[in-house]
């Protein structure tokens, strides 16, 4: 009588959701209070976001190129407070300097649900002597618990001038 025991349960979920564990105790001797023989623990497992990017479109007019990226949340949880914090073009083939002209960063993109995408458009001044350049972006998002995740995709762009 009066003895206690501790049971540790390790949960290794493969995805988000609500999980409950119930444990019960019994004894071979008389138990005058059976209301404390069962306990249930409920655990909420939150999925994590993962942002990927790919080139959605590009267009050129009078030395200015508009590039649209599709940012997709390939994770299992929502990506909140998604923002592009840094954009850097770099010439790969040809000569001259590609200049990022907008929008101003950080650019707030909001929330991306798992499996959903948003489009982010950028404008660059591209000299006619540049045949190919790359764009490196860096951004961040938070999960449902407020933990921060960074992403940093890059794309090669072929100038159509």
């Amino acid at each position: 009588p009066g003895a206690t025991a501790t049971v540790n349960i390790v949960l290794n979920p493969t995805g988000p959701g609500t999980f409950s564990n119930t444990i019960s105790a019994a004894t071979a001797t008389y138990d005058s209070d059976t209301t404390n023989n069962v306990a249930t623990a409920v655990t909420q497992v939150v999925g994590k976001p993962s942002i990927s990017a790919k080139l959605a479109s590009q267009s050129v007019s009078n030395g200015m190129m508009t590039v649209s990226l599709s940012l997709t949340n390939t994770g299992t949880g929502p990506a909140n407070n998604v923002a592009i914090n840094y954009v850097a073009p770099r010439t790969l083939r040809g000569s001259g300097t590609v200049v990022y002209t907008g929008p101003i960063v950080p650019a707030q993109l909001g929330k991306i649900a798992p499996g959903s995408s948003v489009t982010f458009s950028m404008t660059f001044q591209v000299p006619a002597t540049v045949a190919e350049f790359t764009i490196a972006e860096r951004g961040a998002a938070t999960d449902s618990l407020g933990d921060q995740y960074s992403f940093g995709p890059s794309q090669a762009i072929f100038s159509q001038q």
Side-chain angles (χ1 to χ4, degrees):
T4 62
T6 301
V7 177
N8 293 317
I9 298 172
V10 177
L11 179 67
N12 293 312
T14 58
T18 302
F19 300 88
S20 60
N21 292 299
T22 302
I23 190 164
S24 61
T27 180
T29 61
Y30 174 72
D31 185 353
S32 63
D33 182 7
T34 59
T35 62
N36 62 358
N37 292 357
V38 176
T40 299
V42 177
T43 304
Q44 180 68 37
V45 177
V46 180
K48 302 298 180 188
S50 180
I51 304 295
S52 66
K54 69 177 183 176
L55 181 65
S57 66
Q58 68 185 57
S59 61
V60 176
S61 178
N62 298 322
M64 299 299 288
M65 178 178 278
T66 300
V67 174
S68 294
L69 296 180
S70 177
L71 299 169
T72 302
N73 181 358
T74 59
T76 57
N80 302 313
N81 307 309
V82 178
I84 301 291
N85 299 320
Y86 173 83
V87 176
R90 186 176 65 112
T91 301
L92 295 177
R93 284 191 309 119
S95 61
T97 301
V98 177
V99 177
Y100 175 68
T101 61
I104 295 172
V105 290
Q108 302 299 321
L109 305 179
K111 180 177 181 176
I112 307 175
S116 297
S117 300
V118 297
T119 301
F120 177 65
S121 295
M122 303 169 281
T123 306
F124 299 89
Q125 183 177 2
V126 183
T129 54
V130 173
E132 182 181 9
F133 66 100
T134 186
I135 305 167
E137 314 86 38
R138 276 186 253 163
T142 57
D143 66 13
S144 297
L145 299 175
D147 293 332
Q148 187 162 335
Y149 294 84
S150 298
F151 57 93
S154 63
Q155 294 76 35
I157 309 296
F158 294 92
S159 177
Q160 299 176 349
Q161 300 196 37

